[in-house]
Amino acid sequence: MTIKKILIVAGTHGNEINPIWAFNQLKKEQNNFDKDIEYKYIIGNPLAYEKGSRYIDSDLNRSFNSNNQNINNNKNNYEINRANFLVQRYGINGEDPCQIAIDLHTTTSNMGTSIVIYGRRIKDFCLASLLQNKFGLPIYLHEQDKRQTGFLVEAWPCGLVLEIGPVAQNYYDSKIINRFLIIISSLREEINKLKNNLIALPKTLIVHVHQGSIDYPRTKNGDINGLIHPERMNKDWKLTKKGDPLFLDIEGNTLRYLGQDIIWPVFIGEVAYKEKNIAMSFTKKEVICSSNEWVDQFFKS
Amino acid sequence: MTIKKILIVAGTHGNEINPIWAFNQLKKEQNNFDKDIEYKYIIGNPLAYEKGSRYIDSDLNRSFNSNNQNINNNKNNYEINRANFLVQRYGINGEDPCQIAIDLHTTTSNMGTSIVIYGRRIKDFCLASLLQNKFGLPIYLHEQDKRQTGFLVEAWPCGLVLEIGPVAQNYYDSKIINRFLIIISSLREEINKLKNNLIALPKTLIVHVHQGSIDYPRTKNGDINGLIHPERMNKDWKLTKKGDPLFLDIEGNTLRYLGQDIIWPVFIGEVAYKEKNIAMSFTKKEVICSSNEWVDQFFKS
């Protein structure tokens, strides 16, 4: 594809405010290094941002599903309308078309800086490998989870989520903002270098492939009945094997991981996922070999 | 006063969930060390807790103001009704009277474990000095601020707030829960020891006296236009003098403290206080000499 415009979205969740600050700062700067690519900075969910809430009616980052008739038929849902507006305006066939979407998020869980991609799209692999090569960032490859669909970047032919944490919702943290500034600036530079054949892609891409999610232990009434175990807390991306502790219930009993496979949990104790009945998600590591075709597809096809 | 019952309240703000977990754990334990004093554990704002929000209509911990006719006349306000219910039920002249109220809160700001008391009530001094003596906890003495009134513990003849942080809203953290368990258990023990003349109060009480609060820098539209400065971030309770940085605006300018007096800021960047236009509060240190009269008043008058 010919990359003319790249959409940078922040505040897709209205209570993740640090990336909005970061991109307001970036907007003030002159883009000196790439005259050919225009960057557009958009607040995903302006009404939720104003109210300091994650969303108004439903999660905007699960609302970009053009195949889901039930969702799209709900005319009164603010986020469905907003998702449709964003695609009509900035989608690949929109009025002001952008070829790539970068969606900026924060986590309350101790994920550090990471990338999320959805499914195995070669263009996304290309983009993600630029950042993994530069910063060594872990990549969460989300696929084959019917419970969770309709992510923003899936509505563009290429895109990724950048997650930075831990930071509380609605809490400005200049360290988190600085990390966004560094990553976004570098991403612009790396795309420019790749375009001008100044860098090559790394030979391999290491991804953490989504396997599924587990809920907290709950009482019969549905109340959470187990904390993230102190030994699991803040251990996102760390290897977990059979017998390792996951939860601590109110009687002080330890609930352990009983699977045979080695896993790497992520989004451990994420506040925003409690309502989705997710205490953490399990991933497995996979190494993907890159190819020159990735760059060709990224810029040409 | 004859202390027969002590009210322990958690979830006065529905999104401060760790103390609720702690007291559910305490409720399961047998109270072996004090047969004379009964502890009652109540969720302050059960509806907000269920929804994961700070409050429904207004801040419950600003709703206990029996002199404020405007507030009390609002029959449809959930928190006003809840405040009235709690006082009618557990107030000193209520159906199930409690002589002391302990209100458990969490902060997103880096306050550590601290005590808040409201005004200079001798019984509160006595209670707070027990915890300062045991753990060296800082005490925030809130007084003479007309912008902020109607705190829960003020509706009881004796009471204090226990604040523990930093922890994100709606985020369970077993380390924070453990701190609540330790402090509440110790408070019960210390009250019991004092009653049986097994300990004496310390000679002095060190308090940080509230001087006022400052807002974030804002644009003409009211949007926040300055971050807590990286050098001020997480520096609650730390000495601040003229010229020290407070905020960093979006152009990168540092805004400094210009007062002549040395101050100790608290609640720096507290998420819940953004809507109250408070970026931080200033305190000054004061040493108060204790007296035997404190214990007499605490148990007898």
Side-chain angles (χ1 to χ4, degrees):
Chain A
M1 61 191 171
T2 308
I3 301 169
K4 289 187 176 169
K5 284 187 193 165
I6 296 181
L7 183 68
I8 311 274
V9 186
T12 295
H13 295 132
N15 55 11
E16 298 176 8
I17 61 177
N18 290 282
I20 298 178
W21 187 280
F23 88 22
N24 281 336
Q25 214 166 314
L26 284 171
K27 276 198 284 188
K28 288 178 185 283
E29 293 170 14
Q30 199 66 34
N31 177 1
N32 289 320
F33 49 78
D34 193 340
K35 307 290 183 202
D36 302 333
I37 298 178
E38 184 187 342
Y39 287 82
K40 296 202 80 80
Y41 298 92
I42 301 295
I43 294 180
N45 197 329
L47 194 54
Y49 170 55
E50 200 179 291
K51 289 181 186 288
S53 59
R54 182 172 170 89
Y55 55 78
I56 304 297
D57 296 316
S58 62
D59 190 334
L60 177 61
N61 203 27
R62 304 294 184 278
S63 302
F64 287 80
N65 192 341
S66 55
N67 297 321
N68 188 330
Q69 290 297 322
N70 289 335
I71 287 183
N72 272 280
N73 284 338
N74 188 344
K75 297 290 180 202
N76 295 321
N77 181 303
Y78 174 75
E79 278 77 14
I80 301 300
N81 290 329
R82 182 73 187 161
N84 290 337
F85 164 80
L86 289 171
V87 172
Q88 281 157 21
R89 185 74 182 264
Y90 302 109
I92 188 72
N93 299 314
E95 301 150 25
D96 189 6
C98 297
Q99 289 76 41
I100 299 176
I102 310 289
D103 192 17
L104 310 177
H105 288 256
T106 59
T107 62
T108 60
S109 51
N110 189 32
M111 301 268 283
T113 302
S114 66
I115 296 162
V116 188
I117 55 177
Y118 301 89
R120 294 171 186 254
R121 304 193 299 189
I122 284 178
K123 289 171 188 169
D124 298 351
F125 284 169
C126 182
L127 196 58
S129 69
L130 285 177
L131 286 177
Q132 187 167 74
N133 194 35
K134 175 96 178 179
F135 297 104
L137 301 183
I139 297 167
Y140 177 32
L141 197 171
H142 198 276
E143 64 179 357
Q144 295 177 336
D145 187 336
K146 288 178 185 164
R147 285 172 62 198
Q148 295 200 74
T149 58
F151 295 93
L152 183 145
V153 301
E154 291 184 287
W156 275 259
C158 174
L160 54 77
V161 160
L162 180 65
E163 294 270 10
I164 302 186
V167 61
Q169 294 165 347
N170 286 313
Y171 189 64
Y172 282 119
D173 183 330
S174 52
K175 280 191 308 229
I176 299 284
I177 291 169
N178 273 339
R179 279 199 252 163
F180 275 110
L181 292 173
I182 290 167
I183 306 278
I184 301 167
S185 299
S186 295
L187 184 65
R188 298 190 306 198
E189 283 170 25
E190 296 305 293
I191 291 173
N192 190 48
K193 284 185 201 163
L194 189 70
K195 192 174 149 197
N196 295 302
N197 292 312
L198 297 174
I199 52 168
L201 289 189
K203 298 264 181 271
T204 57
L205 188 68
I206 299 161
V207 293
H208 285 76
V209 183
H210 178 76
Q211 304 296 310
S213 303
I214 59 166
D215 192 11
Y216 294 87
R218 292 186 187 260
T219 64
K220 284 175 190 167
N221 300 328
D223 298 327
I224 288 176
N225 192 32
L227 302 173
I228 302 294
H229 196 282
E231 291 175 33
R232 184 64 38 218
M233 192 84 178
N234 296 325
K235 299 281 172 57
D236 301 77
W237 307 109
K238 302 290 184 208
L239 186 152
T240 303
K241 59 185 191 312
K242 188 176 177 177
D244 286 346
L246 294 179
F247 300 103
L248 187 68
D249 78 9
I250 200 158
E251 276 86 20
N253 304 310
T254 295
L255 284 72
R256 295 173 188 279
Y257 172 63
L258 299 176
Q260 297 297 331
D261 295 348
I262 288 170
I263 45 138
W264 287 262
V266 293
F267 287 105
I268 297 175
E270 176 62 34
V271 167
Y273 289 178
K274 275 202 297 181
E275 67 173 21
K276 299 184 196 295
N277 285 28
I278 295 175
M280 65 187 79
S281 295
F282 291 165
T283 71
K284 283 187 188 174
K285 264 195 202 183
E286 185 180 325
V287 178
I288 296 172
C289 292
S290 74
S291 111
N292 290 333
E293 201 194 325
W294 292 9
V295 182
D296 291 347
Q297 275 218 23
F298 190 68
F299 287 111
K300 288 161 201 162
S301 73
Chain B
M1 61 191 170
T2 308
I3 302 169
K4 289 187 175 169
K5 284 186 193 165
I6 296 180
L7 182 67
I8 311 276
V9 186
T12 296
H13 296 133
N15 55 10
E16 299 176 8
I17 62 178
N18 289 283
I20 298 177
W21 187 279
F23 88 24
N24 281 336
Q25 214 166 315
L26 284 170
K27 276 198 284 189
K28 288 178 183 282
E29 294 169 13
Q30 199 65 34
N31 177 1
N32 289 320
F33 49 78
D34 193 340
K35 308 289 185 203
D36 302 333
I37 298 178
E38 184 188 342
Y39 287 82
K40 295 202 83 78
Y41 299 91
I42 301 296
I43 294 180
N45 197 329
L47 194 54
Y49 170 56
E50 201 178 289
K51 290 182 185 288
S53 59
R54 182 172 170 90
Y55 55 77
I56 304 300
D57 296 316
S58 62
D59 190 334
L60 177 60
N61 203 27
R62 304 293 185 277
S63 302
F64 287 81
N65 192 341
S66 55
N67 297 322
N68 188 330
Q69 290 297 323
N70 290 335
I71 287 183
N72 272 281
N73 284 340
N74 187 343
K75 298 289 182 203
N76 295 321
N77 180 302
Y78 174 75
E79 277 78 13
I80 301 299
N81 290 328
R82 182 72 186 162
N84 290 337
F85 165 80
L86 289 171
V87 172
Q88 281 158 20
R89 185 74 181 265
Y90 302 110
I92 189 72
N93 299 312
E95 300 150 26
D96 190 5
C98 297
Q99 289 76 41
I100 299 175
I102 310 289
D103 193 16
L104 310 177
H105 289 256
T106 59
T107 62
T108 60
S109 51
N110 189 32
M111 301 268 284
T113 302
S114 66
I115 296 162
V116 188
I117 55 176
Y118 300 88
R120 294 171 185 255
R121 303 193 300 189
I122 283 177
K123 289 171 187 169
D124 298 351
F125 284 169
C126 182
L127 196 57
S129 70
L130 286 177
L131 286 177
Q132 188 167 74
N133 194 35
K134 176 97 179 179
F135 296 104
L137 301 184
I139 298 167
Y140 177 31
L141 197 172
H142 198 276
E143 63 179 358
Q144 294 176 335
D145 187 336
K146 287 178 185 163
R147 284 172 62 197
Q148 295 201 73
T149 59
F151 295 94
L152 183 147
V153 300
E154 291 184 287
W156 275 260
C158 173
L160 55 77
V161 161
L162 181 64
E163 295 270 11
I164 302 186
V167 63
Q169 295 165 346
N170 286 314
Y171 189 64
Y172 283 119
D173 183 331
S174 53
K175 280 192 307 229
I176 298 284
I177 291 170
N178 273 339
R179 280 199 253 162
F180 275 110
L181 292 172
I182 291 166
I183 305 276
I184 301 168
S185 300
S186 294
L187 184 66
R188 297 190 308 198
E189 283 170 27
E190 295 305 293
I191 291 172
N192 190 48
K193 284 184 199 162
L194 189 70
K195 192 174 149 196
N196 294 302
N197 292 315
L198 298 173
I199 52 167
L201 289 190
K203 297 265 181 269
T204 56
L205 187 68
I206 299 162
V207 292
H208 286 74
V209 183
H210 178 75
Q211 304 295 310
S213 302
I214 58 167
D215 191 10
Y216 293 88
R218 290 186 188 259
T219 64
K220 283 174 189 167
N221 301 328
D223 297 328
I224 288 177
N225 191 31
L227 302 173
I228 302 294
H229 196 282
E231 292 177 34
R232 183 67 36 220
M233 193 82 178
N234 296 326
K235 298 283 171 56
D236 301 78
W237 308 109
K238 301 291 182 206
L239 186 151
T240 302
K241 59 186 191 311
K242 188 175 177 177
D244 285 347
L246 294 180
F247 300 103
L248 187 68
D249 77 11
I250 199 157
E251 276 85 21
N253 304 310
T254 295
L255 284 72
R256 296 173 187 280
Y257 172 64
L258 299 176
Q260 296 298 331
D261 296 348
I262 288 170
I263 45 139
W264 287 261
V266 294
F267 287 106
I268 297 174
E270 176 62 33
V271 168
Y273 289 177
K274 275 202 297 182
E275 67 172 23
K276 298 183 196 295
N277 286 26
I278 295 174
M280 65 187 79
S281 296
F282 291 165
T283 71
K284 284 187 189 174
K285 264 195 201 183
E286 184 180 326
V287 178
I288 296 172
C289 292
S290 75
S291 113
N292 289 332
E293 201 194 324
W294 291 9
V295 183
D296 291 347
Q297 274 217 26
F298 190 70
F299 286 112
K300 287 162 200 160
S301 72

